[in-house]
Amino acid sequence: MVGYATLECEPACCLNPMHSDLSATPVSRPGEPWGVAERRAWRQRQRVQRRYADDVLKPLLALIPRFEAVPYGELAVGIERFELLAMRNGPWCPGRPGVLVTGGVHGYETSGVMGALRFLQTQAEQLSAGVNLLVVPCVSPWSYERVQRWNADAVDPNRSFLPDSPAREVAALQRLVSLWAGQFTLHIDLHETTDTDESEFRPALAARDGKPFEPGLIPDGFYLVDDAENPQPALQAAIIDAVSRVTHIAEPDHKGQIIGCPVVAPGVIRYPVKDWGLCTSVTGARYTSITEVYPDSARTNPEQCIAAQVAAVCAAVAFVSDSARR
């Protein structure tokens, strides 16, 4: 398998794509980065394919009073309004490890959203007894409805966890997390790597930025992204062990890499998450992990993809809970 060496290990979870190949449309001019007009034209081409209110908000509200709803703002895009909603397992208890679970930073990565919801519905009550749990199942609701990676401004949220973030979804999550600054022990962020990353989204990124597209291949299987500046191999190993019972783990290519980065342990690669403005940098937690499910594999199905995300979250929460008791 050919890796993504030309990307300098830029992760699939934080590329800046969109759900249509605009490299060959009037929106893009070869060799010219997009300006305001091109971004506006791109937004106008996007169509609603599913409903955030039905798929995310309704199931979350059904969890009350098992969990406490935490509204943390409203995303306004034209005449559209999206309530931003998190759930927690009750008032914050000083001394307990803080745990943040995020999904839907890239709205098209369905199992991340559904996995966070399924975790709340099935496992969270039992596993979160000794932690302060905060779950944000869908960080990017506009993108979720359009099955997009970019937000409405053609900005990648998962490159935007920076001071004065250009992504409004990210800025809202940053404000929420700041309420418990320095109190998070774990942050797990749920993602997917799909065939459309290669067929649609990376070509779109190249078109948007006025750069040539360089083809690559997508790894077959689940893998994790650890923090290169704060590696936590024991946590990643615990997650991989749990997920391997649900679905298959991505194998390295002939260079020992996954998407152009060295495999440091079975199914694990590393990125400098803070430097790249990735979501797992938002809390400053000691333990972080980014999941990457591969939903297009012939060896899996949508239910297994959701189950893999749930298994990953459960393993991570159990790891932190066990560590706190030692």
Side-chain angles (χ1 to χ4, degrees):
M1 182 181 295
V2 178
Y4 280 55
T6 57
L7 298 181
E8 298 181 349
C9 298
E10 184 163 272
C13 63
C14 61
L15 296 173
N16 297 330
M18 61 194 178
H19 196 64
S20 54
D21 183 1
L22 297 182
S23 59
T25 74
V27 172
S28 298
R29 298 180 183 87
E32 295 184 20
W34 289 4
V36 173
E38 288 81 10
R39 290 172 187 260
R40 184 182 301 115
W42 170 81
R43 183 196 300 181
Q44 291 172 349
R45 294 172 63 89
Q46 308 311 309
R47 296 293 178 265
V48 171
Q49 302 183 52
R50 53 192 180 185
R51 291 295 183 183
Y52 168 74
D54 295 335
D55 298 351
V56 180
L57 290 184
K58 186 176 179 180
L60 286 179
L61 294 175
L63 291 169
I64 302 171
R66 292 168 56 193
F67 296 94
E68 179 183 341
V70 184
Y72 67 98
E74 181 183 77
L75 178 67
V77 181
I79 64 172
E80 295 181 89
R81 298 293 185 272
F82 302 92
E83 181 182 4
L84 301 175
L85 190 64
M87 304 297 284
R88 66 178 185 176
N89 63 337
W92 201 269
C93 296
R96 290 184 178 178
V99 171
L100 176 63
V101 180
T102 48
V105 175
H106 289 140
Y108 82 113
E109 295 172 356
T110 304
S111 72
V113 178
M114 296 299 116
L117 285 171
R118 182 75 60 82
F119 170 70
L120 281 168
Q121 292 163 340
T122 64
Q123 303 293 329
E125 282 180 292
Q126 177 182 353
L127 287 177
S128 66
V131 304
N132 295 311
L133 177 68
L134 183 68
V135 180
V136 185
C138 190
V139 174
S140 301
W142 183 93
S143 307
Y144 174 83
E145 291 201 340
R146 273 83 178 171
V147 194
Q148 274 296 329
R149 289 184 83 153
W150 289 345
N151 71 4
D153 300 313
V155 170
D156 182 355
N158 209 34
R159 293 286 281 185
S160 303
F161 284 83
L162 306 164
D164 300 318
S165 175
R168 290 170 287 168
E169 304 89 339
V170 169
L173 182 60
Q174 289 173 321
R175 289 191 295 270
L176 174 67
V177 169
S178 70
L179 298 176
W180 301 283
Q183 299 181 55
F184 286 96
T185 302
L186 168 69
H187 180 187
I188 183 166
D189 188 31
L190 311 182
H191 282 263
E192 293 181 345
T193 301
T194 73
D195 286 345
T196 50
D197 291 350
E198 178 65 18
S199 64
E200 299 179 21
F201 299 144
R202 291 187 61 245
L205 168 64
R208 190 202 67 177
D209 292 349
K211 297 179 180 179
F213 169 60
E214 299 183 11
L217 291 177
I218 300 297
D220 184 349
F222 179 96
Y223 64 98
L224 293 174
V225 180
D226 196 2
D227 183 357
E229 304 303 321
N230 177 35
Q232 296 295 335
L235 169 65
Q236 316 308 330
I239 296 172
I240 290 291
D241 179 64
V243 173
S244 67
R245 303 170 199 173
V246 176
T247 192
H248 60 291
I249 306 303
E251 297 287 342
D253 64 17
H254 68 284
K255 295 181 180 180
Q257 298 177 341
I258 291 176
I259 57 170
C261 288
V263 174
V264 298
V268 181
I269 58 177
R270 290 174 180 159
Y271 298 118
V273 300
K274 185 175 182 179
D275 288 349
W276 286 358
L278 305 190
C279 184
T280 49
S281 68
V282 72
T283 63
R286 175 182 177 184
Y287 298 106
T288 67
S289 189
I290 302 169
T291 68
E292 290 289 350
V293 168
Y294 178 48
D296 299 312
S297 174
R299 300 168 59 187
T300 192
N301 57 54
E303 181 59 32
Q304 283 179 303
C305 292
I306 295 171
Q309 302 281 24
V310 174
V313 176
C314 290
V317 174
F319 180 90
V320 168
S321 296
D322 291 344
S323 297
R325 286 193 291 265
R326 294 188 193 121

